[in-house]
Structure formats: C-alpha cells, structure tokens
Amino acid sequence: MLKVRLYRWRKRILLPLATLPLFQMTGTCDPFALQSTIISQTGLATFNLFVSSIQQTLLTTFPSADILQILLGGNRQPFFTG
C-alpha cells in the first residue's frame, strides 16, 4: 500500500518538477508569464520574417535602384565603389 501511495505522489509532482528549468529560464514561477513570453517571441519572429522577406524581394526585384540598396542594406559600402 505504501508503494502505491508513493507512486501516486511521485506522479503528481513530476510535471511541476520538470517545468522548473523553464520557469527558472524566464526568471519567474508564473506559468502565464512563460506563455506570454512564448507568444511575444513568436510574434516578434513572425514580424521579422515578414519584414526581411519584403526587404529581400525589393532588393532582388530592383537591383539597380541605388537608393533602395543603400536604405535596405543590400550594398554595404555604397560610397567606396570605384
């Protein structure tokens, strides 16, 4: 009977113990803070992907537009070409 009680107790505490490194990484023990961190990071990554794809499309579509190359970073040394 003691083994069954220990097994049930161990089963209940296993998931919170497994999530402790994630909570420690975010600096809080609030699971909702972890969820908001994941959502904000996903949103930021999606936005960066969208902006970089537009930038790459503009740079490949208009390769001779010097002002776009300078503004969007396609030409890293625009004033030192000879």
Side-chain angles (χ1 to χ4, degrees), residues 10-71:
R10 205 173 44 205
K11 190 176 173 184
R12 275 188 232 138
I13 200 159
L14 186 64
L15 183 63
L17 284 177
T19 57
L20 281 178
L22 290 175
F23 293 149
Q24 190 176 25
M25 181 181 66
T26 60
T28 181
C29 286
D30 184 14
F32 298 109
L34 179 64
Q35 180 183 6
S36 66
T37 302
I38 291 172
I39 289 172
S40 67
Q41 292 295 325
T42 304
L44 186 61
T46 304
F47 177 73
N48 285 338
L49 179 66
F50 179 71
V51 168
S52 65
S53 66
I54 288 177
Q55 178 181 359
Q56 192 62 32
T57 303
L58 285 174
L59 288 175
T60 55
T61 305
F62 305 109
S64 62
D66 291 333
I67 190 69
L68 279 178
Q69 294 289 331
I70 293 169
L71 290 177

